[in-house]
């Protein structure tokens, strides 16, 4: 789950990371009230799940009420890279002396956490990484060791932060690391982390991605409001308890087991198609689960064909076939369905499906054959 800036800042604040005083506002009037409350000058900031808001006109300084009114009315409703602004964060403006960058994320290759700090913050960090990778100091952190003040101090020193910022920045890194670990985040990023003209260091922006798999440890997460962009297909899948990830292609995919689902994506790609989703229905490939899966895929307007790829190990293929046939009675599909069933009782299953073969229901013997047929029906790569 990606948090918007103000939610990220509220998350930071729990771990002691300093932020500017601010309030949310959904209307111009609320923006004015918020600005009066936090004190002028203020910054009016669009709350959308996308970076580069500043460049897109979604972050504006306002010296007085008239400017708040002007900027709030311009920014509310603004389209920033396809995200419509519905909420603002109004915070007391900071006098910036320097803009730095700091983040924690998982480095899968080294099986460690990775801290990155740069004295060149504020701008696009990908650009810094491309043009002058030496400007980013990196530290791999063994989860068993953690990060202490001394190691953090070394890191911010290596990154070339200004002398007067070092101690505070190091302490903020330790707090951010706790936020990242104890807060079960996959990513925390502060760009910019600023040094103010009066010598204080604090987080001026916040990007936090929470690890959805840790939600069971955080009942309080259910209160975090989903703001802005929610993938409707993923939302429906979640309600139905399905393991679904939306993608951009035209071949809807249903498979049992995450490994088989991934291989199915690969094979579809290999034969020139593109997957519309990842969907693992697990072991319980009964009519109920199958109907739910078909229903979710059916809501995706990009889908041209559905590919069902089931390997019956413990689950019996004839039961799955019956499940599919029952499900097809319940859900009116907008696209044809190609089915490959193999494994336990696959012979009976195939006989059952053959009896229903049509232009809308196409049984295939092999995974590769099924993928080829599906991609043919979908008309190749989207
Ligand atoms: P982003 O463009 O989506 O990354 O939004 P940020 O929150 O990072 O804001 C973009 C830029 O606006 C920052 O890099 C700052 O240069 C500027 N900015 C944001 N808040 C303030 C503030 O309180 N005072 C000043 N002077 N500039 C600010
Ligand atoms: Mn930023």
């Amino acid at each position: 789950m990606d948090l918007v800036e103000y939610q990220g800042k509220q998350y930071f604040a729990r771990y002691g990371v300093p932020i500017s005083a601010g309030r949310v506002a959904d209307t111009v009037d609320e923006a004015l009230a918020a600005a009066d409350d936090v004190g002028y000058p203020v910054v009016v900031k669009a709350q959308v799940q996308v970076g580069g808001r500043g460049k897109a006109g979604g972050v504006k300084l306002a010296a007085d009420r008239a400017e708040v009114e002007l900027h709030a009315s311009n920014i509310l409703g603004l389209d920033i890279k396809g995200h419509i602004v519905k909420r603002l964060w109004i915070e007391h403006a900071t006098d910036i002396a320097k803009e730095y960058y700091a983040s924690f994320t998982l480095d899968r290759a080294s099986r460690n956490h990775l801290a990155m700090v740069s004295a060149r913050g504020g701008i696009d960090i990908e650009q810094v990484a491309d043009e002058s990778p030496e400007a980013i100091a990196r530290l791999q952190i063994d989860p068993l060791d953690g990060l202490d003040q001394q190691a953090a101090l070394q890191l911010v020193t290596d990154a070339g932060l200004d002398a007067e910022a070092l101690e505070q920045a190091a302490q903020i890194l330790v707090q951010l690391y706790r936020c990242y670990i104890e807060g079960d985040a996959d990513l925390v990023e502060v760009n910019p982390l600023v040094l103010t003209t009066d010598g204080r260091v604090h987080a001026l922006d916040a990007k936090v991605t929470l690890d959805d798999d840790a939600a069971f440890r955080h009942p309080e997460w259910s209160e975090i409001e989903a703001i802005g962009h929610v993938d409707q297909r993923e939302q429906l899948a979640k309600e139905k308890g399905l393991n679904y990830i939306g993608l951009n292609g035209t071949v809807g995919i249903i498979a049992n087991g995450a490994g088989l689902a991934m291989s199915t994506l690969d094979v579809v790609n290999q034969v020139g198609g593109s997957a519309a989703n990842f969907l693992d229905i697990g072991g319980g490939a009964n009519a109920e689960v199958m109907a739910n899966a078909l229903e979710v895929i059916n809501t995706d307007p990009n889908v041209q064909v559905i590919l069902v790829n089931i390997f019956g190990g413990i689950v019996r293929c004839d039961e799955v076939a019956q499940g599919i046939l029952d499900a097809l009675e319940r859900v009116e599909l907008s696209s044809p369905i190609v089915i490959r069933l193999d494994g336990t009782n696959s012979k009976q299953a195939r006989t059952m499906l053959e009896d229903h073969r049509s232009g809308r229901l196409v049984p295939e013997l092999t995974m590769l054959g099924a993928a080829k047929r599906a991609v043919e029906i979908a008309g190749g790569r989207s």
Side-chain angles (χ1 to χ4, degrees), residues 288-317:
E288 178 70 22
V289 176
M290 195 55 86
N292 284 340
L294 290 172
E295 209 177 305
V296 169
I297 291 184
N298 215 23
T299 61
D300 184 341
N302 289 334
V303 168
Q304 303 292 326
V305 63
I306 298 171
L307 171 57
V308 177
N309 188 13
I310 303 288
F311 184 82
I314 294 169
V315 60
R316 286 167 35 202
C317 287

Side-chain angles (χ1 to χ4, degrees), residues 328-344:
L328 288 177
E329 302 264 301
R330 288 162 52 179
V331 185
E332 188 160 339
L333 289 184
S334 20
S335 16
I337 173 167
V338 178
I339 305 170
R340 175 258 181 170
L341 287 174
D342 209 345
T344 313

Side-chain angles (χ1 to χ4, degrees), residues 272-292:
S274 57
N277 66 277
F278 166 97
L279 174 48
D280 161 25
I281 56 169
N286 57 25
E288 178 70 22
V289 176
M290 195 55 86
N292 284 340

